[in-house]
Amino acid sequence: MTTKAAHINDDLIEALRGIVGDRLSLAEAVREQHGRDESYHDAFPPDVVVYPETTDEVSDIVKLCAARDVPVIPYGTGTSLEGHVAALKGGVCIDLMRLDRIISVNPEDMDVTVEAGVTRKKLNEDLRDTGLFFPIDPGADASIGGMTATRASGTNAVRYGTMRENVLAMTVVMADGRIIRTSRRARKSSAGYDLTRLFVGSEGTLGVITEITLRLYGIPEAVSSAVCSFPDLEAAIETVISTIHAGVPVARIELLDDVQMDAINKYSKMDFPVLPTLFFEFHGSKNGVVEQVETVEALATDVGASDFQWAVKQEDRNRLWQARHDSLYACMALKPGSKGMATDVCVPISRLAECILETRKDIEETGLLAPIVGHVGDGNFHVILLIDTEDKDDLEICKAFNERLVMRALAMDGTCTGEHGIGYGKMDFLVAEHGEAVSVMRAVKMALDPQNIMNPGKIVRV
Amino acid sequence: MSQTLKPETAEHLLEVLKWAVAEKSSLDVRGNGTKQGFGRPMRTTHTLDLSGLSGIKVYEPHELFMTAYSGTPVADIEAALRQNNQQMAFEPADLGPLLGMAEGTGTIGGVIACNLAGPRRIQAGAARDHFLGFNAVSGRGEVFKSGGTVVKNVTGFDLSKLIAGSFGTLAVMTEATFKVLPAAEKTRTVLALGLTDTRAMKAMSQALGSANDVSGAAHLPAAQAARSGVSYVSGAGQAVTAVRVEGPGPSVEHRCQAIRGLWADKGAQLEELHSQNSAALWKEIRDVRLLDAAEGKQVWRVSVPPMEGAGVGGELLGASGGEVFYDWGGGLIWLAHDGCPDANHDQVRAAVAKAGGHATLIRADADVRGLVPVFEPQPGPLGDITRRVKQGFDPEGVLNPGRMVEGV
């Protein structure tokens, strides 16, 4: 399946060394690591990994590759989930983690400009003294460049949106090596097509993102968390719907099903009831937060919830959310030696209960061990399929299950991927979901990368 | 001979576009035509009138989204939302009156195509941020759709964002799906009187950076405040800085108190507007009704980093002899000045470039808009991409040719 790029040769390696010196690796272990993300997808190592330190170096590397028709694969922390970083046709992997400077913080304008390799945790540590923070939290300590390229979101999208709402501008090295700045720090109104948003979520297929200007938020005066168990799934989702409909600006709402709660209890040594459970987080002023919690508690109690636990103290909150964040590891502990394959459908909230219940039934009928967690405020949920990657049958059963799940979501007017993206793992689902729009996407790809050297084989086939 | 084509269905629209592509005819794409004076003047073979594609297709209040045909008047949409106590949170501006057209006649397609958003933009985002998906016909005469009805969707390139703000140059939307959100139970506005422009920017930044969830921050110099229909504002006799707080009653009162506390050391008189007066003031700000927009005046919309607002505003005043007011915490400057053949283009662009912003000529006669770039000119590589994207969607140049950039 791997077809090596024809033009990788000693001459190219020498030319790359001319740009990055010894910040280049041909070692098999390094290449292997850069061809694999956190998913179950097969790894495809690049031919060489380079570690530039500036946008200009990235530009020189891309120019070199463009002149020789060599694929370019941008790489951040490798935490994607659909094989986004796999070098399907070999090529040069640009590891951007050495572009790790925070270029400028503008507290009064509430924005920050960073290089692509800055991770979200490092950014927030640096911002701490300004009273501001960057809220998007996909779980992994991903790089801002990678989060931008995959249009990441995560647990608090209900209140703060996703990367698409929070990237103001960026610097991109185009497929021909030219450097462009897509917008400026000013809020964009109309200065041509919105190329900033086009690059957000382009998965490295249109250019290499090297700098990003992000919108920041004031650290909330008060933060509070709550956990609440429900007699059944419908009651939990009813509470989510009524909360959102009441206009409560809740920061996070996470649903964990009974299987997941059991896993968490075992892994994190907690003693939550083994029932469908919602985790909430509230941000705001002191009074505002109290009001939000009381409103939600009343809504939950109305549908028969019990045991509404409210945590204000930081260590209690951390303990709760750590348990939520560890859910994938907790799942894997249920079946030692397995790998998690996370599905990612998103459906309208009114269809969420129906979709999850049908999926639960499918899990039981297929005989899988698969907990469900969901960012239910926006209708997005993940089934964690615990698979033995060595066992081809197991993998096929799980893939077939995922296909049924995606078709179920599409039939309910949903999408095959709410936050993980297409990569090379979901290209067929993209066609099933969008049909003709894929040809328009191909036209966009051809307009920006006519040679098809930017992360080829992802999102659309050219 | 030039015709006006008015399709009544998506199928009919597709036929029209296929015909136009085959004939290599160009089309002036419009809804109710309220924004025909916005953008570069065009010479097209025919007019494509989308007002026949009208009506709300799906409205699910509990799902917080609506799908409407592109020619649906915004006024109809807002009326339907009001019945369910909901709103379009991006607060679309009605620029009709500013552009010499009737109030309340713009269409949802026009709002999205021009990416119009009001004062709540700083909190809730622009039209594009609320635009979830669409059905359209490209300039190749091909039907396509993108996005959907759910908020989170990462299926490939985000075509919705490309279409929003493309002024009908890439594709003709037949229907649009957008978010709708609960309307606030209560609205209040805290006013500070008599601040200079510079001090006002600081005060607004302080309020916006606090945990008080400010949903509007504008500064009106004395002459512009005096034009308000809200007596507290027009009667102030000095500059008025306004921040808006929305939400449930007790929370709004608490946050207003907190902002008054933040501003206690400003040495300015503080006032508060309740719901009705707040609504009236923010509508005037949204629809740019506080400038002298007499016939012959030209109007620019200038976007800069908020803290540069006062400085750029001062330069614009010096260069044009006009008047300004500020929205988005200082990040948006509205400038009106006497008409002149070059619309003070060079001076405006120079002032804005230094601050790292962009300027759009919103109102001027067609001959002026044909002469000076209406939109911020794009440097080489960006201009190339713009041309290539246009080429990808509309290779024959059928849709609104030259509306944004000459020859594109």
Side-chain angles (χ1 to χ4, degrees):
Chain A
M1 193 166 161
T2 33
T3 41
K4 287 272 178 211
H7 311 293
I8 302 273
N9 51 30
D10 291 350
D11 182 46
L12 173 75
I13 303 297
E14 268 325 294
L16 286 171
R17 275 194 219 282
I19 300 166
V20 294
D22 57 4
R23 287 177 275 119
L24 174 150
S25 178
L26 296 162
E28 197 181 330
V30 172
R31 293 191 294 112
E32 187 70 26
Q33 178 224 337
H34 282 78
R36 176 187 294 287
D37 58 15
E38 287 193 350
S39 71
Y40 65 94
H41 294 293
D42 289 338
F44 290 84
D47 294 292
V48 54
V49 181
V50 290
Y51 301 85
E53 291 180 343
T54 63
T55 297
D56 286 340
E57 286 182 355
V58 174
S59 165
D60 290 343
I61 294 164
V62 175
K63 278 180 190 155
L64 200 62
C65 293
R68 295 159 191 247
D69 245 346
V70 170
V72 174
I73 303 100
Y75 184 96
T77 55
T79 48
S80 59
L81 291 168
E82 289 297 345
H84 296 65
V85 298
L88 300 176
K89 296 178 174 177
V92 176
C93 171
I94 303 184
D95 183 319
L96 292 150
M97 296 310 286
R98 292 194 186 194
L99 273 88
D100 61 354
R101 283 159 290 240
I102 292 175
I103 297 170
S104 65
V105 185
N106 303 290
E108 289 180 313
D109 289 335
M110 300 175 72
D111 65 45
V112 64
T113 300
V114 301
E115 289 185 326
V118 172
T119 65
R120 67 176 180 90
K121 284 187 182 165
K122 176 172 190 284
L123 173 60
N124 279 325
E125 275 161 29
D126 263 61
L127 287 173
R128 202 177 293 148
D129 296 340
T130 63
L132 298 170
F133 81 119
F134 182 66
I136 312 297
D137 171 8
D141 186 19
S143 67
I144 299 295
M147 287 170 65
T148 305
T150 54
R151 211 189 297 150
S153 48
T155 52
N156 54 20
V158 181
R159 183 177 170 103
Y160 299 103
T162 70
M163 287 306 275
R164 99 173 108 204
E165 288 85 16
N166 290 290
V167 173
L168 297 176
M170 63 181 84
T171 300
V172 179
V173 175
M174 300 298 302
D176 61 6
R178 288 193 291 180
I179 300 167
I180 59 163
R181 180 127 183 95
T182 60
S183 183
R184 307 178 200 197
R185 283 176 47 228
R187 295 274 188 267
K188 192 170 152 54
S189 334
S190 47
Y193 300 138
D194 190 355
L195 299 171
T196 305
R197 277 14 174 252
L198 184 60
F199 281 104
V200 177
S202 60
E203 302 186 1
T205 62
L206 301 179
V208 185
I209 299 166
T210 60
E211 284 177 18
I212 306 98
T213 302
L214 299 168
R215 176 178 174 187
L216 300 176
Y217 294 80
I219 294 175
E221 178 186 277
V223 175
S224 172
S225 295
V227 178
C228 183
S229 331
F230 291 82
D232 51 40
L233 205 65
E234 288 94 330
I237 289 168
E238 186 53 42
T239 304
V240 173
I241 293 175
S242 52
T243 299
I244 290 179
H245 212 242
V248 178
V250 59
R252 308 177 201 245
I253 313 183
E254 297 282 290
L255 170 75
L256 291 80
D257 78 345
D258 47 346
V259 182
Q260 179 67 60
M261 292 310 291
D262 187 36
I264 281 192
N265 281 344
K266 286 176 180 147
Y267 184 84
S268 301
K269 315 238 172 334
M270 309 286 257
D271 54 356
F272 293 114
V274 180
L275 286 172
T277 303
L278 292 177
F279 280 49
F280 295 93
E281 189 167 287
F282 306 94
H283 293 177
S285 63
K286 280 198 187 90
N287 290 24
V289 164
V290 172
E291 231 172 68
Q292 291 178 38
V293 175
E294 286 173 356
T295 308
V296 173
E297 182 167 8
L299 293 170
T301 315
D302 275 355
V303 293
S306 55
D307 202 27
F308 192 91
Q309 294 178 38
W310 183 7
V312 186
K313 280 202 306 213
Q314 173 115 31
E315 61 261 37
D316 294 346
R317 280 195 283 116
N318 287 352
R319 206 169 112 150
L320 279 182
W321 283 103
Q322 195 56 47
R324 162 66 188 90
H325 278 310
D326 287 343
S327 59
L328 180 63
Y329 306 109
C331 291
M332 295 203 278
L334 287 177
K335 186 174 167 186
S338 64
K339 243 190 145 171
M341 166 177 169
T343 69
D344 186 33
V345 300
C346 184
V347 295
I349 304 182
S350 63
R351 309 296 295 273
L352 186 59
E354 186 189 348
C355 190
I356 294 182
L357 288 171
E358 281 183 25
T359 303
R360 190 79 265 169
K361 197 162 153 243
D362 192 353
I363 291 171
E364 278 151 27
E365 285 171 5
T366 316
L368 299 170
L369 178 61
I372 295 177
V373 295
H375 315 309
V376 285
D378 36 37
N380 183 210
F381 70 92
H382 308 299
V383 181
I384 316 293
L385 298 163
L386 300 169
I387 49 177
D388 178 352
T389 45
E390 300 296 303
D391 180 347
K392 289 289 170 207
D393 288 347
D394 201 16
L395 189 59
E396 285 314 311
I397 289 168
C398 288
K399 279 186 174 166
F401 168 84
N402 188 32
E403 198 169 319
R404 289 195 297 277
L405 173 55
V406 168
M407 293 309 157
R408 191 176 302 130
L410 294 185
M412 291 181 181
D413 228 0
T415 175
C416 66
T417 177
E419 57 185 17
H420 296 167
I422 301 294
Y424 82 89
K426 287 212 177 85
M427 283 165 58
D428 291 331
F429 293 143
L430 178 66
V431 176
E433 186 170 334
H434 284 307
E436 281 278 353
V438 175
S439 71
V440 178
M441 288 185 202
R442 193 171 294 124
V444 171
K445 165 80 173 168
M446 292 312 290
L448 274 77
D449 176 22
Q451 281 175 274
N452 190 28
I453 60 165
M454 297 307 311
N455 205 6
K458 315 294 160 58
I459 301 187
V460 284
R461 293 185 184 89
V462 175
Chain B
M1 214 184 84
S2 178
Q3 307 176 40
T4 295
L5 308 152
K6 191 174 171 185
E8 303 283 339
T9 63
E11 292 73 29
H12 188 190
L13 172 72
L14 176 62
E15 278 171 36
V16 168
L17 282 176
K18 282 189 164 159
W19 169 80
V21 172
E23 298 278 311
K24 297 197 194 306
S25 297
S26 56
L27 300 172
D28 173 348
V29 185
R30 56 171 69 173
N32 278 329
T34 57
K35 288 178 275 292
Q36 35 175 307
F38 185 3
R40 298 181 67 257
M42 300 180 289
R43 271 196 213 97
T44 56
T45 336
H46 305 294
T47 297
L48 176 60
D49 174 351
L50 298 172
S51 62
L53 290 168
S54 178
I56 293 167
K57 187 181 178 194
V58 186
Y59 176 28
E60 305 269 0
H62 283 272
E63 286 294 345
L64 305 177
F65 80 83
M66 180 187 277
T67 301
Y69 295 102
S70 54
T72 313
V74 174
D76 292 1
I77 290 171
E78 285 178 337
L81 292 173
R82 259 196 305 277
Q83 289 186 350
N84 287 285
N85 229 348
Q86 294 188 327
Q87 62 183 4
M88 288 181 276
F90 60 97
E91 215 176 359
D94 180 2
L95 296 183
L98 181 72
L99 297 171
M101 299 295 193
E103 193 174 343
T105 50
T107 62
I108 189 67
V111 162
I112 292 168
C114 302
N115 191 33
L116 294 179
R120 208 181 284 108
R121 161 98 193 245
I122 45 173
Q123 185 203 37
R128 75 163 73 81
D129 298 313
H130 294 255
F131 179 36
L132 297 174
F134 63 88
N135 286 13
V137 183
S138 71
R140 294 169 176 270
E142 292 171 346
V143 175
F144 69 108
K145 70 184 181 86
S146 179
T149 59
V150 293
V151 177
K152 283 201 324 202
N153 180 319
V154 286
T155 43
F157 302 137
D158 203 352
L159 300 176
S160 305
K161 303 298 174 278
L162 199 57
I163 295 297
S166 66
F167 286 77
T169 60
L170 298 177
V172 180
M173 272 186 285
T174 52
E175 55 187 73
T177 299
F178 47 92
K179 283 192 240 183
V180 298
L181 289 168
E185 181 188 312
K186 194 166 192 173
T187 303
R188 284 203 179 176
T189 303
V190 181
L191 306 177
L193 310 186
L195 296 180
T196 62
D197 293 2
T198 310
R199 293 182 63 217
M201 305 293 130
K202 286 236 148 87
M204 289 191 284
S205 163
Q206 223 180 337
L208 286 166
S210 71
N212 296 306
D213 248 332
V214 169
S215 70
H219 174 67
L220 316 172
Q224 289 66 49
R227 289 202 190 95
S228 173
V230 177
S231 58
Y232 288 97
V233 177
S234 54
Q238 46 192 335
V240 173
T241 310
V243 301
R244 177 171 62 181
V245 176
E246 299 172 297
S251 155
V252 166
E253 277 168 35
H254 171 78
R255 285 181 281 149
C256 283
Q257 271 318 109
I259 289 166
R260 283 166 161 269
L262 277 180
W263 284 0
D265 62 351
K266 305 276 177 250
Q269 186 186 333
L270 302 181
E271 297 286 348
E272 225 164 89
L273 299 181
H274 287 202
S275 290
Q276 210 172 353
N277 278 330
S278 283
L281 175 67
W282 290 102
K283 187 173 187 302
E284 290 172 337
I285 293 169
R286 183 193 79 182
D287 297 345
V288 205
R289 305 304 287 274
L290 300 172
L291 293 175
D292 175 10
E295 217 180 307
K297 294 275 184 186
Q298 293 168 339
V299 178
W300 287 87
R301 181 176 67 189
V302 173
S303 228
V304 291
M307 293 314 291
E308 309 279 351
V312 174
E315 276 192 53
L316 293 173
L317 289 177
S320 72
E323 54 173 312
V324 298
F325 78 87
Y326 306 86
D327 193 0
W328 301 351
L332 175 66
I333 307 170
W334 286 99
L335 164 71
H337 58 70
D338 289 337
C340 54
D342 69 347
N344 293 311
H345 172 266
D346 294 352
Q347 295 89 326
V348 170
R349 297 253 182 252
V352 172
K354 260 189 284 176
H358 43 82
T360 310
L361 180 58
I362 298 278
R363 189 175 108 166
D365 288 342
D367 51 343
V368 177
R369 285 180 286 116
L371 202 69
V372 303
V374 168
F375 298 99
E376 189 71 26
Q378 295 181 307
L382 271 182
D384 287 353
I385 296 175
T386 298
R387 269 183 287 279
R388 272 151 43 186
V389 169
K390 167 78 175 173
Q391 184 78 23
F393 278 81
D394 180 20
E396 302 292 344
V398 172
L399 306 175
N400 280 353
R403 178 93 186 247
M404 298 183 80
V405 183
E406 195 176 355
V408 174

